[in-house]
Amino acid sequence: MNFVKTTLTELEELGLKRTLRIHSGELTNYSTNDYLCMSTNPIAVKKAVEAVKLFGTGSGGSRLMSGNLSLHEELERRLAQLTGMETALIYGSGFLANTGVLTALAGRNDTIFSDRLNHASIVDGAITSRSRVQRYRHCDVQHLSDLLKKHTETGRKIIITESVFSMDGDIAPVREIFELSRSEGCILIVDEAHATGVFGHGGGICREEGVVPDVVTGTLSKALGSYGGFASCSRKTREFLVNKSRSFVYSTGLPPASAGAALGALQVINSRKESGSELVDRAMFFRESLKQAGFNTGNSNSQIVPVIVGDSSAAVALSHSLENRGILAVAIRPPTVPEGSARLRFSVTLCHQRKTLQNTASEMKKLKWK
Ligand SMILES: Cc1ncc(COP(=O)(O)O)c(C=O)c1O
């Protein structure tokens, strides 16, 4: 196993080695996806505890065996309502939702058209499906259209994009992509992992734009503060996924605590429909402060605010300096982001008051000129 040692040494030398750390909670945390601070919300906690008391700690098996709980189906009804789709199907995680949906809908004779910056779960789902894969330039509808016209092989054509991009915080032109998918006869899948709970009164970007793709995938682990994933779709598509989606069929149903917590989160989101827009407003305030200080925040237009540094070691150094000032913003390096675009990824959450955001921007400004 010599390659293990050499690979780790190489990663270290390139400034790309990752290590696991336990964060004490004393730092101001900008590296969480718990955007609405839902993981500690009393209603979500109460619902999780109640679910465990009623259903136990595990679901005991695949949903198709004996692991299908009334709690799962209640959560699916609520997720369908939130996303404005007919039904929903829960998966063990957002990663499993993407791989499960892609491998079920796309096969050997089909072509997947995927945004260049799509998440690893989409990349892996596309590879596992054995389809042909065409990657279009990030958010470039013209390039997507050119590729669709060029690749006229038989088989299904599937377009997949994130709505809010996880590392850039920019937003895909979902309406244009939707229209193109209809005129070219393609299946459209939109991954709303970072938009659920935040945009469209919680329903996501598609909901906000009044666009109904064939499948919306999402996660319970970010703004909903729980764990698990889902796909919202038509009844027929759900029936198909229940039969053909391997990460659904061959994996245990979601634990009751996670389903209960997600149900609690949806209750909170429905009772405070403006939380998401308040969050996006705070992020805009933060982004503008950083921009004024001369930082490159790319095309971010959401609660995710990257500060693009370029060099991996420089990004790590900046992150360490911030940590010494009580601020946690982990450096994101290749291969998570393209070569030469290492960055600090700030997630603004509802736990960050404007004053805190202002202080963080001031600390960044001091560091920039050192
Ligand atoms: C765009 C996107 N899709 C899917 C996922 C996977 O979600 P989960 O963490 O629930 O597996 C993530 C999270 O990392 C993501 O950023």
Side-chain angles (χ1 to χ4, degrees):
M1 297 260 286
N2 264 348
F3 73 95
V4 173
K5 207 170 151 208
T6 31
T7 307
L8 288 172
T9 312
E10 256 167 47
L11 288 173
E12 182 103 58
E13 281 167 9
L14 292 167
L16 295 177
K17 187 157 167 237
R18 304 171 194 233
T19 48
L20 285 170
R21 295 177 55 199
I22 293 175
H23 294 287
S24 62
E26 281 155 17
L27 304 174
T28 306
N29 187 358
Y30 290 98
S31 287
T32 173
N33 295 319
D34 188 8
Y35 301 124
L36 305 176
C37 309
M38 198 61 86
S39 66
T40 50
N41 182 287
I43 294 174
V45 171
K46 183 166 165 269
K47 288 275 185 188
V49 172
E50 280 172 11
V52 172
K53 285 189 178 152
L54 264 174
F55 296 95
T57 55
S59 61
S62 163
R63 300 267 303 278
L64 285 163
M65 301 296 280
S66 65
N68 191 33
L69 308 175
S70 56
L71 194 69
H72 293 140
E73 299 207 352
E74 188 188 342
L75 177 56
E76 286 171 344
R77 277 193 296 280
R78 300 246 177 258
L79 287 165
Q81 275 167 9
L82 182 78
T83 49
M85 309 278 279
E86 255 179 32
T87 57
L89 186 68
I90 306 168
Y91 284 82
S93 71
F95 201 106
L96 292 173
N98 277 332
T99 55
V101 168
L102 276 171
T103 51
L105 295 181
R108 215 182 269 283
N109 296 318
D110 305 325
T111 312
I112 295 173
F113 297 83
S114 180
D115 187 290
R116 229 175 238 288
L117 294 190
N118 274 342
H119 187 254
S121 53
I122 297 176
V123 175
D124 287 11
I127 293 170
T128 316
S129 77
R130 302 195 177 108
S131 307
R132 292 177 288 265
V133 181
Q134 295 297 329
R135 297 197 313 154
Y136 60 91
R137 285 193 289 270
H138 179 52
C139 288
D140 187 337
V141 183
Q142 187 56 53
H143 190 218
L144 170 60
S145 170
D146 293 346
L147 285 176
L148 285 168
K149 294 208 161 54
K150 191 167 150 205
H151 293 276
T152 51
E153 301 93 334
T154 49
R156 291 188 285 273
K157 292 180 176 185
I158 295 110
I159 302 173
I160 183 158
T161 181
E162 293 178 31
S163 58
V164 171
F165 280 85
S166 58
M167 294 300 140
D168 290 78
D170 56 346
I171 299 176
V174 286
R175 172 158 289 286
E176 284 174 73
I177 295 175
F178 171 75
E179 277 160 14
L180 188 60
S181 75
R182 298 307 93 161
S183 65
E184 294 292 326
C186 304
I187 295 170
L188 175 62
I189 305 169
V190 180
D191 177 351
E192 297 259 32
H194 295 273
T196 307
V198 178
F199 288 89
H201 298 300
I205 295 285
C206 291
R207 193 84 208 261
E208 186 164 281
E209 296 278 317
V211 160
V212 184
D214 299 288
V215 182
V216 162
T217 57
T219 177
L220 310 177
S221 68
K222 302 189 194 296
L224 302 191
S226 178
Y227 192 76
F230 68 90
S232 291
C233 51
S234 68
R235 284 201 182 82
K236 272 280 165 249
T237 304
R238 181 180 186 275
E239 216 178 316
F240 179 82
L241 293 175
V242 165
N243 282 275
K244 291 286 183 188
S245 196
R246 290 165 69 83
S247 60
F248 175 83
V249 176
Y250 299 105
S251 194
T252 301
L254 199 69
S258 303
L263 275 165
L266 293 180
Q267 188 181 320
V268 175
I269 287 169
N270 283 331
S271 66
R272 295 192 213 141
K273 292 225 182 266
E274 299 315 315
S275 301
S277 39
E278 167 61 24
L279 175 63
V280 174
D281 278 354
R282 284 192 210 175
M284 193 197 300
F285 166 76
F286 183 54
R287 188 166 50 244
E288 288 311 313
S289 314
L290 289 173
K291 272 188 185 166
Q292 273 168 24
F295 288 101
N296 175 8
T297 58
N299 293 323
S300 155
N301 207 7
S302 68
Q303 76 281 13
I304 300 165
V305 183
V307 167
I308 301 163
V309 176
D311 177 65
S312 292
S313 305
V316 172
L318 186 57
S319 172
H320 284 160
S321 309
L322 274 181
E323 197 165 330
N324 291 334
R325 291 166 154 81
I327 295 163
L328 179 67
V330 174
I332 312 283
R333 295 164 284 170
T336 308
V337 291
E339 212 55 59
S341 73
R343 65 200 59 191
L344 301 192
R345 174 188 182 271
F346 288 88
S347 286
V348 177
T349 75
L350 283 185
C351 296
H352 301 131
Q353 302 305 323
R354 279 171 200 259
K355 197 167 179 313
T356 310
L357 295 169
Q358 180 98 65
N359 286 343
T360 301
S362 314
E363 291 299 337
M364 283 287 285
K365 200 171 168 181
K366 284 185 218 155
L367 286 173
K368 168 131 178 148
W369 309 118
K370 277 204 169 157

